[in-house]
Amino acid sequence: MDANSHLVSELIDAGLNRREARWLVEEFSPPSEESIVAMRAAAQRRLNGEPMQYVLGHWPFRTLDLDLDARVLIPRPETEELVGLALEELVKRNVPEPLILDLGCGSGAIGLALLFELRQLGVHGSLVALDASRDALEVTRANATKHGLDSVTTVHSSWFEDLDRSLLGRVDLIVANPPYVGAAEFATLDPVLGYEPLSALVARDSAHVEGFHDVEVIIGQSCPWLVANGLLICEHGNMHRSAALHAARSAMFVDVRDLDDMFGNPRFLVARR
Ligand SMILES: C[S@@+](CC[C@H](N)C(=O)[O-])C[C@H]1O[C@@H](n2cnc3c(N)ncnc32)[C@H](O)[C@@H]1O
């Protein structure tokens, strides 16, 4: 048995499944006295229940390898779909140098993946990445640097409150994955979510809809920031479809639609100014 196989067996014996044991061994490869100590400490964190993404400190998101830690939400596979939708729309519209606003940027997942993939298509976009958490903005900046993306501005703001008003009417695309779990629902969910920032997950109720407050604010206030024909794409909770459609129509958006995610759940509001 080679050194790596031996370590994989050790981690499986300690209680990890084979896939996770392999990931950890690869992460700390080549084995040395020091890296084995670090690997065992990482394995213990995982065995204590911490998500693998935080234990490794990075995780793939579309074409990026995002640095992640407990200051930011672990980006979800549905959100990769949101990036795909947004990219498709931008390409279809042939916007030469799109200005993108990512509301609640967290690790920077959505906005940075869009910039990166646009660049691969020869399109140079710029990104305003906004979050109410200064910690999240730090992680976004680190991820932008890691991926060589320099047309990124970070803004500390609660939604649009402190956003520079010179951006009014100038944004081509607003993307958002705001908190959308109600407090009552959160109490019933897997306790592993307790490793992630509560402020990234839980939202107040609104219009008699659980966890809808932040989605409602974003839909209600996005229109004036967009260029004519500009798009809003906003992720939301399973129970939010009709409230989101209603909010978008009330905010005078047109071509309003709501799409399912890959699991068949109502998930993405798409609306045009
Ligand atoms: C569900 S996480 C999404 C993170 C990232 N966009 C992603 O998809 O992985 C929601 C983000 O919204 C931020 N947030 C929560 N309330 C906010 C507010 N009032 N204004 C701006 N950002 C807020 C949180 O800090 C968190 O980073």
Side-chain angles (χ1 to χ4, degrees):
M1 215 190 260
D2 65 15
N4 276 358
S5 314
H6 186 76
L7 288 170
V8 169
S9 300
E10 176 191 318
L11 297 187
I12 292 171
D13 289 345
L16 287 181
N17 68 43
R18 179 170 299 277
R19 196 171 52 146
E20 294 194 335
R22 282 208 181 119
W23 283 339
L24 276 182
V25 170
E26 267 167 38
E27 184 71 20
F28 290 94
S29 202
S32 65
E33 223 172 282
E34 227 173 53
S35 74
I36 291 174
V37 171
M39 183 205 70
R40 287 182 179 141
Q44 194 52 55
R45 284 172 62 192
R46 179 65 194 125
L47 288 165
N48 292 343
E50 193 171 341
M52 195 57 157
Q53 292 89 338
Y54 291 155
V55 172
L56 291 176
H58 63 104
W59 199 253
F61 181 82
R62 291 189 63 97
T63 49
L64 306 182
D65 180 50
L66 286 176
D67 283 352
L68 294 175
D69 59 44
R71 292 174 294 173
V72 291
L73 186 99
I74 297 164
R76 306 294 201 263
E78 306 89 282
T79 307
E80 293 188 283
E81 283 189 278
L82 186 157
V83 173
L85 274 174
L87 198 63
E88 217 176 274
E89 291 290 343
L90 284 175
V91 169
K92 201 159 60 184
R93 285 148 192 267
N94 207 10
V95 184
E97 287 182 356
L99 174 59
I100 299 164
L101 172 61
D102 181 356
L103 294 173
C105 56
S107 60
I110 303 175
L112 297 178
L114 275 170
L115 275 195
F116 195 84
E117 291 183 49
L118 283 169
R119 191 171 73 181
Q120 289 176 325
L121 297 170
V123 178
H124 291 276
S126 44
L127 173 67
V128 176
L130 178 152
D131 207 289
S133 152
R134 289 189 194 279
D135 280 345
L137 295 173
E138 249 177 60
V139 178
T140 288
R141 283 193 290 271
N143 277 316
T145 305
K146 177 176 180 180
H147 294 93
L149 296 165
D150 50 16
S151 52
V152 180
T153 309
T154 53
V155 176
H156 180 244
S157 174
S158 178
W159 304 134
F160 298 97
E161 265 174 41
D162 295 317
L163 186 58
D164 188 338
R165 298 186 68 78
S166 69
L167 288 173
L168 278 164
R170 289 185 42 214
V171 178
D172 294 290
L173 171 70
I174 297 177
V175 280
N177 175 20
Y180 56 70
V181 182
E185 185 190 355
F186 185 74
T188 68
L189 299 177
D190 188 334
V192 74
L193 293 175
Y195 282 95
E196 295 181 278
L198 196 66
S199 56
L201 289 163
V202 176
R204 297 206 311 268
D205 303 344
S206 178
H208 308 293
V209 185
E210 236 197 275
F212 191 61
H213 175 75
D214 293 306
V215 176
E216 186 182 43
V217 169
I218 287 171
I219 297 174
Q221 297 183 15
S222 283
C223 228
W225 300 87
L226 289 165
V227 295
N229 291 316
L231 268 196
L232 165 67
I233 306 186
C234 182
E235 195 170 318
H236 59 69
N238 289 358
M239 307 309 285
H240 292 165
R241 173 164 280 167
S242 63
L245 288 168
H246 176 74
R249 291 187 183 119
S250 304
M252 308 307 285
F253 276 105
V254 294
D255 293 346
V256 177
R257 22 191 198 123
D258 200 81
L259 307 173
D260 287 355
D261 64 20
M262 61 177 102
F263 307 111
N265 294 315
R267 189 65 68 220
F268 309 111
L269 178 90
V270 183
R272 181 167 67 83
R273 178 179 173 177

